[in-house]
Structure formats: C-alpha cells, structure tokens
Amino acid sequence: MPAVLDDISTEILNLKKKIGATILAHYYQEGEIQELADITGDSLKLAREATKVDTPVIVFCGVLFMAETAKMLNPTKKVLLPDLKAGCSLVDSCPPDKLHRYQEMLRENGRKFQTVTYINSSAAVKALSDWVVTSGNAEEVVRKIPAEYEILFVPDKHLGRYLSEVTGRQMILWDGSCMVHEIFSVHDLVRMKKLHPGAQVIAHPECPKNILEHAEFIGGTEAMIKHVGSFKDPVEFIVATEPNMMWQLESRFKQHKYLPVPGITCACNKCPHMALNTLEKIRDCMKTGQPEILWQPEFDKAKEVLAKSLLNPPATKPHPQGD
Ligand code: 13P
Ligand code: SF4
C-alpha cells in the first residue's frame, strides 16, 4: 500500500475511534475501502448489520439507497455517505410518480397485484411497495406471495425475468436495469469460455438472459462467496459482476483464479456510482459530519416495508421524533 494511503488509512482509523463510527462497505467498493471496513457485505447483510450497530455514527461506503436503508432501519444513528451523488441507474429508472400512476392504472383495470421492489430503489418507491427484496432474499419472498396476486416487479427487468423463471410466477416487469450488469460483453464471455474450458462462469442475476445462459452459477454477491468457498481445490472462475467483487473473493479464497468479464464499452466495467467513494472522502465525511442522510417523510412508510421484508423478526428501532 503506498505511503499516502497508509497515512489516510491511519487518519480514518483514528477518526473512527474519536467520533464513534462503524464503517460498513459493500463488496463493490475498492479493495482499500473494504480492507478498512468493520463490516463488508451484500445489500441484505449490510441492511441487517446496520440494525445492530451500537456506535453513534455509521459511515456507509456504498450508494445512496443503501445508506438510506441503514438510516431507516437504525434511525437514531447519524448515517454518513462519503459522496451524496453516489446513486444507481436502477433507482433513476423508476420515478415514484410514474410507478404510482402505473399502479393506479392496474387497479382501475381490476388487476389484483402486489408490488415487489428491488432494494435498489428510492425510499418513495419503497413506500409504494408491498415488499422490498435484495438478490439474497427475492426468491424466498416471491414464493411466499399467494398465487391469487399478480406480481409487479420493479425496477430491475433482468432480476425480475430471472425470478419469474426460477419461481414460475408470471410478472409484470418494470423497464429498468443496472448500467454495469447490462453491458457485459457476451462476445468476450464466449471467447473466455473457449480459452478456459475448465472454468466456471458465476453471474449476478442483474445480468441479462444472454449472459445468464452461459453461467454455471447465478446468485447475488453473498451467494457467490458461499459458492466459491465451497470448492477446496483450485478452480478458475469467470466473474460476471462488478469487478471489485474479486478483491473479496481473492482475499478469502486464494487457491482459485478469477477472470473478470469485460464490458462492451469499458474493459474494467466498474460501477461509476460506487467509485465516487474514496478514502479521502471517507476521511472528510468523518471530519465534518457531512454529508449526512437526513430523515425524509417517505422514510416512515418505507421503513415498515423494509423491516417486514428483510428483518426476521421485524425489529426497527423507533425514530427519535416518535413516528
Ligand atoms: P447484492 O450485493 O445485494 O447482490 O447487490 C448487487 C448490487 O448491484 C448492489 O448495487
Ligand atoms: Fe446500481 Fe448497478 Fe451500481 Fe449496483 S452496480 S449501484 S445496481 S448501477
């Protein structure tokens, strides 16, 4: 690690003690950030871990919807996001007013449905939903919905299509997608499979069908870790998800080899939103106490949907203003 990063890392660790902070980081953060974090995880693990944090501050190294989720599930904590502009193409694809109009149209047409929303969505969209799911619990939640209901799945059409295939449930799919998983190059993937005939392809269900049909294993980031960890002898894995995930796999399971699938337009195919968080911004947010996730009116309803969907048993702490 270069000396300059060493200095910043030490500063961050000192600030962490000084202000009483717990650092949570998603697997799509740079390795140097994951290395500093108290807890790393996928969306589901981080949401659940956020409820257990007992320090006054949570520094969330991920994107806005994840930091909002932490705030909703543990409202008395000060939640900091190093860069407030760290958004998500899936969130952008589903404006709440557009979803509301669509739901009204379905109701006017006599359709009986439940709205199942991927956690990669705004709080206002979560507030319009019956369930909020992550790649880690989506199948389980979908299987629990009584057959008399149609399912409106928002906003990820690829995850929705995949869930529909594995559960056999018909779904009305919103037209949203992840800008990272959408652009993996099938051409390169097929070429890599030919060059590495013994390799296993592992892919995130946010990928389109043309990528998933080449995969030996499909699962969210936590499920990928479990899968890769189940092989004791060395295996080559071709990885179709955000490439920072490989830092986590490489540090846990050194016996294997990992090959990233390139994107069509960008060979590294990193998430530009996740990349907005840097060590410098983490240090600065701890120094200034900004940017902070502030309570929004729509959090009141959204947190109920989040808690019943993700926590078992549901146990959010009350908001200090008493909602
Ligand atoms: P998971 O880590 O929950 O699989 O989510 C992937 C993702 O795209 C997060 O933005
Ligand atoms: Fe959103 Fe995709 Fe980036 Fe995850 S990887 S934050 S789904 S744009």
Side-chain angles (χ1 to χ4, degrees), residues 28 63 87-90 120 178-180 206 271 273-274:
Y28 292 170
V63 293
C88 172
S89 64
L90 279 165
N120 301 38
C178 160
M179 63 192 289
V180 173
E206 287 178 15
C271 172
H273 299 289
M274 292 279 180

Side-chain angles (χ1 to χ4, degrees), residues 184 200 202 224 237-241 245-246 249 258-261:
F184 283 121
Q200 265 208 31
I202 56 173
M224 278 182 187
F237 290 102
I238 298 175
V239 184
T241 194
M245 178 64 196
M246 281 185 305
L249 294 172
Y258 306 97
L259 307 160
V261 182

Side-chain angles (χ1 to χ4, degrees), residues 25 28 40 46 78 103 121-122 126 141 195-196 245 287:
Y28 292 170
T40 53
L46 292 176
K78 184 179 178 92
Q103 290 172 318
S121 51
S122 66
K126 290 181 175 80
V141 170
L195 283 172
H196 304 270
M245 178 64 196
K287 266 188 182 168

Side-chain angles (χ1 to χ4, degrees), residues 222-241:
E222 204 68 51
M224 278 182 187
I225 291 174
K226 207 168 158 203
H227 177 72
V228 169
S230 70
F231 294 87
K232 295 281 169 286
D233 294 331
V235 177
E236 269 189 322
F237 290 102
I238 298 175
V239 184
T241 194

Side-chain angles (χ1 to χ4, degrees), residues 33-162:
I33 296 178
Q34 293 191 53
E35 201 165 17
L36 270 183
D38 296 293
I39 299 159
T40 53
D42 69 343
S43 308
L44 184 60
K45 180 177 168 197
L46 292 176
R48 288 177 174 163
E49 290 292 333
T51 67
K52 300 178 202 157
V53 170
D54 55 8
T55 56
V57 180
I58 294 175
V59 178
F60 207 106
C61 301
V63 293
L64 180 63
F65 75 81
M66 296 177 178
E68 286 180 341
T69 298
K71 179 72 186 172
M72 286 185 258
L73 295 178
N74 202 345
T76 59
K77 304 297 171 190
K78 184 179 178 92
V79 178
L80 302 173
L81 178 65
D83 192 320
L84 215 45
K85 291 192 292 299
C88 172
S89 64
L90 279 165
V91 176
D92 298 341
S93 72
C94 190
D97 54 336
K98 202 169 160 195
L99 174 61
H100 182 64
R101 282 199 301 276
Y102 191 73
Q103 290 172 318
E104 286 301 296
M105 184 277 290
L106 288 177
R107 285 185 194 110
E108 278 157 21
N109 284 293
R111 308 272 287 265
K112 198 175 158 199
F113 64 96
Q114 292 201 351
T115 304
V116 180
T117 295
Y118 194 29
I119 196 165
N120 301 38
S121 51
S122 66
V125 162
K126 290 181 175 80
L128 290 168
S129 309
D130 296 287
W131 302 97
V132 172
V133 297
T134 76
S135 61
N137 76 336
E139 188 180 332
E140 184 192 327
V141 170
V142 165
R143 288 191 190 280
K144 277 199 303 212
I145 297 174
E148 70 212 73
Y149 292 100
E150 285 187 84
I151 294 175
L152 168 60
F153 190 86
V154 307
D156 189 344
K157 63 180 172 189
H158 299 306
L159 176 62
R161 188 211 60 80
Y162 169 74

